């Protein structure tokens, strides 16, 4: 029993550190496998579970609607969304898909992709689409709020100091990567908070958990290409002929928008994939409505049930 317990713990904690995925062939986008997790009676929040499995809070809620984010029910089973389709864009440097709240890093000359959950700009402070590069690597950054950030806080009755020095109280954490876009106001940085990853919480920057930003900071060289995209719907036809669609809640534009029901604009290429005679239109319709953030098999005549959720951990 002791050996079994130790083996289980080793397996469990090895999963917690797994953010690297083997890079699939150029004609393939599917990576990873989902996991099924039984919630223990230990009082952990959903954020704590999400952090353990290197995923984000909203991604967990998409995959497990109705789950109490503060205290998931002990004994209930959660799908851990660790299977995904790579974004439909160039596999180089850093790719951020704000719609799925994930950052993909493609290390040069390595056959792998590293995936990080992120926090992005809140409503009214959107993280814009761009193609840029890392212009500066900043250890122990200080934070100087921009005039727009100061105005937004002032509207809420909060007065920000001119500069917050480096240290444990700095909301940028211990590492920052400045982007060359615009006036250099956008950064990929850490946080001093225990929540907010996988959510729209920042003032437009891209936020990572402390361990993740340290890993990324030490991995990427200055000048690395960075692309920020907004793809709530991803799709792929794999080399074996299997067709998948992955649908995330779109980013809201107004306070009254409901990401679960607001319309999703489909690109011409996506419409072609959806309308193909090889695609099951009913399954796709259900996936577009459900918005689970998980790849769904949509071949006509084949099951759409998840193929890669193992026995519960």
């Amino acid at each position: 029993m002791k050996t079994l317990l130790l083996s289980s713990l080793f397996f469990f904690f090895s999963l917690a550190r797994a953010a690297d995925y083997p890079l699939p062939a150029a004609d393939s986008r599917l990576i990873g496998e989902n996991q099924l997790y039984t919630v223990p009676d230990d009082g952990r929040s959903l954020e704590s579970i999400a952090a353990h499995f290197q995923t984000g809070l909203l991604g967990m809620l998409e995959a497990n609607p109705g789950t109490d984010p503060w205290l998931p029910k002990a004994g209930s089973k959660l799908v851990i969304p660790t299977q995904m389709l790579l974004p439909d864009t160039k596999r180089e440097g850093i790719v951020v898909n704000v719609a799925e709240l994930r950052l993909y890093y493609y290390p040069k000359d390595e056959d792998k992709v590293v995936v990080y959950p992120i926090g992005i700009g809140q409503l009214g402070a959107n993280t814009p689409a761009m193609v840029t590069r890392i212009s500066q690597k900043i250890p122990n950054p200080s934070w100087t709020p921009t005039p727009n950030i100061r105005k937004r806080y002032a509207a809420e009755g909060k007065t920000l100091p001119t500069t917050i020095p480096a240290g444990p109280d700095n909301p940028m954490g211990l590492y920052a990567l400045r982007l060359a876009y615009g006036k250099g106001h956008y950064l990929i940085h850490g946080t001093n908070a225990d929540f907010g990853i996988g959510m729209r919480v920042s003032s437009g920057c891209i936020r990572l958990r402390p361990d993740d930003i340290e890993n990324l900071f030490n991995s990427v060289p200055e000048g690395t290409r960075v692309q920020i995209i907004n793809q709530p719907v991803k799709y792929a036809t794999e080399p074996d002929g299997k067709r998948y669609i992955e649908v995330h809640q779109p980013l809201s534009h107004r306070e009254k928008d409901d990401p679960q029901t607001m319309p999703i604009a489909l690109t011409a290429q996506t419409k072609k994939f959806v309308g193909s005679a090889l695609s099951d239109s009913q399954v796709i319709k259900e996936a577009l409505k459900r918005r689970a953030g998980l790849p769904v098999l949509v071949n006509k005549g084949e099951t759409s049930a998840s193929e890669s959720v193992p026995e519960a951990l």
Side-chain angles (χ1 to χ4, degrees):
M1 180 64 71
K2 183 177 180 180
T3 300
L4 179 60
L5 177 60
L6 289 174
S7 297
S8 298
L9 287 173
F10 175 80
F11 176 67
F12 187 67
F13 285 106
S14 67
L15 287 172
R17 296 190 297 270
D20 295 11
Y21 296 81
L23 193 63
D27 59 351
S28 172
R29 292 184 194 158
L30 186 68
I31 62 171
E33 292 187 358
N34 294 323
Q35 303 164 52
L36 196 61
Y37 173 68
T38 302
V39 178
D41 189 9
D42 60 0
R44 297 176 74 191
S45 67
L46 192 62
E47 159 61 25
S48 175
I49 296 171
H52 182 88
F53 285 98
Q54 290 281 34
T55 190
L57 181 57
L58 286 185
M60 289 288 288
L61 288 171
E62 280 185 336
N64 303 278
T67 300
D68 186 338
W70 301 110
L71 188 62
K73 184 179 179 181
S76 63
K77 290 180 171 54
L78 300 176
V79 175
I80 310 297
T82 44
Q83 183 182 62
M84 64 205 73
L85 298 175
L86 293 175
D88 183 13
T89 191
K90 192 174 184 179
R91 300 180 185 181
E92 179 184 338
I94 290 173
V95 175
V96 173
N97 187 4
V98 292
E100 62 176 313
L101 295 148
R102 286 187 182 126
L103 182 153
Y104 296 82
Y105 173 49
Y106 299 91
K108 190 175 181 180
D109 299 325
E110 295 187 44
D111 289 327
K112 71 176 184 179
V113 57
V114 189
V115 184
Y116 300 100
I118 58 172
I120 62 169
Q122 58 191 282
L123 193 64
N126 296 336
T127 304
M130 66 179 81
V131 177
T132 184
R133 60 182 174 81
I134 294 174
S135 61
Q136 185 182 12
K137 297 176 65 172
I138 313 169
N140 299 309
S142 59
W143 182 46
T144 302
T146 65
N148 285 338
I149 293 174
R150 297 176 67 83
K151 286 180 183 178
R152 190 164 63 252
Y153 273 77
E156 299 174 358
K158 302 175 183 177
T159 302
L160 290 176
T162 303
T163 300
I164 297 178
D169 296 327
N170 191 308
M172 292 181 65
L174 299 178
Y175 303 92
L177 301 167
R178 188 180 302 280
L179 304 184
Y181 179 86
K183 296 181 179 180
H185 289 157
Y186 292 98
L187 300 100
I188 300 172
H189 62 77
T191 178
N192 64 340
D194 293 330
F195 61 91
I197 302 304
M199 299 178 67
R200 298 185 68 180
V201 292
S202 78
S203 296
C205 290
I206 297 160
R207 183 183 299 183
L208 279 77
R209 293 190 178 105
D211 288 349
D212 287 345
I213 186 60
E214 181 178 7
N215 182 280
L216 184 65
F217 185 91
N218 291 329
S219 300
V220 299
E222 203 168 286
T224 295
R225 181 182 190 269
V226 177
Q227 182 177 14
I228 300 178
I229 60 175
N230 183 1
Q231 290 182 8
V233 179
K234 300 183 292 181
Y235 65 91
T237 301
E238 291 297 292
D240 60 4
K242 290 184 178 179
R243 303 168 70 83
Y244 292 92
I245 194 167
E246 178 183 329
V247 185
H248 295 265
Q249 294 179 347
L251 300 181
S252 55
H253 304 294
R254 301 166 297 177
E255 288 286 351
K256 66 179 183 179
D257 286 341
D258 181 355
Q260 188 58 45
T261 59
M262 62 186 290
I264 300 178
L266 302 181
T267 65
Q269 294 88 346
T270 304
K271 289 178 180 178
K272 183 176 180 181
F273 176 86
V274 169
S276 168
L278 300 174
S279 297
D280 190 319
S281 59
Q282 184 58 38
V283 172
I284 292 178
K285 181 179 179 181
E286 292 172 359
L288 289 169
K289 181 179 180 181
R290 170 69 176 80
R291 306 179 183 188
L294 304 168
V296 175
L297 183 65
V298 297
N299 291 67
K300 184 167 288 187
E302 295 191 39
T303 178
S304 63
S306 176
E307 298 181 321
S308 57
V309 178
E311 293 299 318
L313 296 175

